[in-house]
Amino acid sequence: MTGVTDTASRVRGGIGESAVRPDGVPKVVGSFAYASDLWAKGMLWGATLRSPYARARVARLETAPALALDGVWAVLTQDDVPGAPTFGQLERDQPVLCDGEVRYWGEPVAVVAADDLHAARRAVAAIEIEYEALEPQVDPEEAEERDDVFHRIRIRRGDADALGEVVVEGYYETASQDQAPLGTEAGIAIPDGEGGVDLWATTQWIHVDHEQIHPCLALDPDQVRCHPAGIGGAFGAREDISLHIHLCMLALRTGRPVKMVYDRAESFVGHVKRHGARMWYRHEADHRGELVRVQARVLLDGGAYAHTSKAVLANAAYFAAGPYRCDNVVVDAAAVRTNNPPCGAMRGFGAVQACFAYESQMDLLAAELGIDGMELRRRNALAAGDPMPTTGQIVEGSLPVREVIDALEEIPLPDDAVPDDARHLPGGIGLTTPPDRVRRGVGYAVGFKNLAFSEGFDDYADARIVLTPAGVEVHTAAIEVGQGLVTVCQQIARSVLGIEQVTVVADDTSEIGSAGSTSASRQTQMTGGAVYRVAGELRRKLLERFGGDDLSDEGVLRDGEVAVSLAEVCAEGPVEEHVRFRHPETHPTDENGQGDPHAGFAVAAHRAVVDVDPDLGLVRVVRVDTAQDVGRILNPAAARGQVEGGILQGVGLAVLESLVLDEGKILNASFTDYLLATSLDAPEVEMRFIEEPDHWGPFGAKGMGEPPTISSTPAVVAAIRDAIGRHLYRVPVLPEHIVGL
Amino acid sequence: MEIVRPSTLDEVLSARVEMPGAELLAGGTDLMVEINFGHACPEHVIALRRVDDLKDEGDGRIGAGVTWARLESSDHRALAQLARTVGSPQIRAAGTIGGNIGTSSPAGDGLPWLAAVDAEIEVASQARGVRRVPWNGFFTGVKRNTLEPDEVVVAVVLPDEVPANQEFAKIGRRSAMVISTVSACVVRYDDGRVHVALGSVAPTPLRATRAEELIAAERDPSKATLAEFSRLVAEEVRPITDLRSTEAYRRHASGILSRRLLERCLARC
Amino acid sequence: MLIEMTVNGEPRIATVTGAESLLNVLRDELRLPGSKNACEQGECGSCSVVLDGELVCSCLVMAADCDGSEVVTVEGLADDDWLHPVQAALVEAGAVQCGFCTPGFVVAAAHLFEHHPHPSREEIQEALSGNICRCTGYGAILRALENLAGGAT
């Protein structure tokens, strides 16, 4: 990208600084308004009746007893859906409310609106409902045999019968993981009195919500407005509709604002989660360890409805061979339908599951060959200009696989001294483990993923910039979920314009075009890219129009002096520019999975050091160090935050987190038994960034959010294997697996 | 809902009689969870937070109202160790040993210690006054105990002899805020008696008496004896497979944990 | 029933109808939404407040039991002109991402420093082990607080 002058060095709060986030102070003083904090006069509270069965027929549903209660204003079922009966991001297959057949535990059957939360809960309890329980189908392998699939992907590249001198095979399992953002699903819908409605709700993409909501309400697009709201974390949980349509229906029916907040137990079943996966792999290599053939069978359990299973499967399939060269690749992947709770996006989006499998395989291969694991990876490392092993797409731009491996290995290992303090030992303050029972292990993994959307999807982000005498406003529909996009947008605008006073304004669906999803590690590149472009346009036009050579908060400068003040520049009103930014084109693949489906890639390598108590199977993750391909760091503190946060989620999948399912029911839908890492569980993290500029990101930046979560999990498992010398094939690794019981 | 906020034990006992069926509210760390999720909806509540009579500590008594935060600095070594592992700092500031006893969960963190030191639970009622129940007469099953509806847990009463040589450990899947998979407490008396108590491996806290018999008076047991000790503990526990762990793991871990604690006690002899 | 409390130094009266938690009363009755509801089980610390001098989870406190009590919430820590040092430290260090856990951390850390001005890293971790963060991985939070612990408070 061109057009950037040297303002970056002059303006404060520009790119490259750890600029403080604009919403930081409101958040630390408790005044930041999350969706769950919103309030409207005359507001009613909503609540949801959910199925206690994973599969059932609704034999009888009587809402009148609930409606008869004091303070209850609406009780709605599928019959009350004004328009399209189903919704869904890629496929509209989920009924707004149960259509008579329950397909997953917790599926919404009815919603109510009442004076307060207690009245709403009483109303839910008063709905008379009889279910005829059916046998839930929860085995993904049986579902595949029945061909009950959302999608299949077949990849054939090169010679399907190629043989290597060395063969390793393995079976791997990854559990379903919950995003568990601390802010649960919440929203408020306010009818506009003219048949339309305004919605503020937890989301990652207001425009795609809007697209699904208005047809179900039988409303024109301009009758529904989706507004950004304060989000308490997302990690993929917010990518799909949860309470949105329900809230709008209740608001329209009652004519009053309606608010709904899911409690934690409800949140567990109220949003999509990471697909559990089963993977069968066969790696063949020559005696030097160069990959000859990779074969993978990948099975993702999509749960009851489609959501984004198709796209998650695509990632699992396209990244199934890892960031390695291989000319012969066979992948058969399926996302199946079961009566488990629906799955969808979670940070890493399919690439996580595959990485655990292929990195476990690479370690097996290294052991078989007697080669160091990282050396094996180096020998096979993909680089720019190479064809992707799965799709054959020539990697454009940067992909510093070898460099991240080298940089990671340069980070010194901690010394071997076993700590005295219980907090540093496996078992922690539980005092289970004496220092002399500890065995240390070190493990490595490398993982990669695409950036932004793929396969020909029209991926774009709109941004509008407005210059007033008070400064610059950057308008975007991009959702800030905590990652710091709002800060990066300010920084980019500052650096391009040379103006420090920049405010980012979150617009609703009626005010601006889509920014696309806050996911796929895409917003820094996409919305950041749009801001870069639109700020550049504004600057160019202002300098041209006023004959200046630079801009500042005072106005247009000529030879360092203010030639035209901002007030004069805006004499006829604010100056606006608008841009719709698109990344380089991508294309769908053919029937063999061949083509150019991806816009760009990012790679990261992780090294985990764990201390294990082999007799009790307890693990302390001491360190997870990393080297990550980032293009260009725009905000060092924010980058660090993404890496540390992502690594801990990867550690979670490795040793702490899984949704425990029993015949379709989630047994651990609470923070008591769905274990998130505490500060005592957090490893030390040292990181190195490889800044090889990306070919289309603003200032060469790449997305950073997902790579930390992808190869951190297999690195931790590899470290545990190193400590105990036992084969581990599934995550999370539990004490009983380590002990061998 | 009606709430009374007594400030003396007598007031509590009267309230128990005047409001039969009222919920007792100490730290709230168990009851409020039930209420928040709609599993409990009490009409009457007796709040115990202000009753200083329940907060005394010393002379072989620990008042039911003593919080885990205070017990983190108890002179009883294993009690201090276990107090540190209860919930989180926020939970420890509010949660009480009396509440732990009243809830009588198989995983109650304080219960193995009570069993190991052979504590008595002192309860009181307006009608019958004070009575003391040995720990193994108090806990009868999963979340069940012999507290009468008009009674209140007043204190833990310790025997005259409670050795200083005590050790506790708790296995959980993460480093803090965790319900124990297995917990154990070992106490060694000067005369060589050893008490081995475990939690989360039976409906109530359990003493591994056969293992205790084996190891009694041993000052320097052989590896074989220690292995047998471990094996006996693993045999005596009655764990289940549940959401948090498996029977096989719990059995295995019971043996190992007990042995480690015993070794710590022996090292101190 | 009416309960009278001192909240953030000011006398406040709240109507309590049942067994609802202090968290609910703070947020819905007293319009102090800074304390957050993320689990309602005492497993995340997002609702942390200081009650009669003790750091507790307000979701586990029965509001009806707070008559006559003193409560400090996140909204009570900054004064008119200045952020509390913990608040300033967290913002400066980039330790705030989605921010949902932040009020709980602020209250817990402020409480820690009031009693232990110079805690070690491990002491900070243990004191904050009841506060869950899903975004930051705790790194920046611990760095911010370690810095504070190292200097004057």
Side-chain angles (χ1 to χ4, degrees), chain A residues 374 408 443-446 604-608 624-626 647 707-709 711-712 715:
Chain A
M374 284 314 243
L408 178 64
Y444 296 79
V446 185
H606 290 84
R607 178 184 66 198
V624 178
D625 299 316
T626 182
I647 283 177
T709 311
S711 39
S712 47

Side-chain angles (χ1 to χ4, degrees), chain A residues 1 89 204-208 239 311 315 345 347-349 449-454 457-463 476-481 483-486 488-489 492 513-532 579-584 586 599-602 628 634 642 694 696-698 700-708:
Chain A
M1 282 190 152
Q89 200 177 132
Q204 287 172 235
W205 190 358
I206 44 176
H207 285 75
V208 91
E239 222 181 61
N315 269 17
R347 195 173 189 170
F349 207 81
K449 184 182 176 286
N450 62 304
L451 298 168
F453 289 167
S454 318
F457 187 88
D458 185 18
D459 196 5
Y460 64 83
D462 278 22
T476 171
I479 298 295
E480 166 66 45
V481 298
Q483 80 281 37
L485 174 70
V486 68
V488 156
C489 287
I492 291 173
S514 171
S517 175
T518 290
S519 68
S521 307
R522 68 185 275 293
Q523 284 293 22
T524 294
Q525 290 184 290
M526 296 301 293
T527 293
V531 172
Y532 181 91
V579 128
R580 173 162 291 185
F581 176 76
R582 287 184 163 83
H583 60 60
T586 63
F601 307 95
Q628 185 168 338
L634 300 182
Q642 286 303 293
D694 182 71
W696 58 269
K702 285 196 180 187
M704 285 200 60
E706 292 173 292

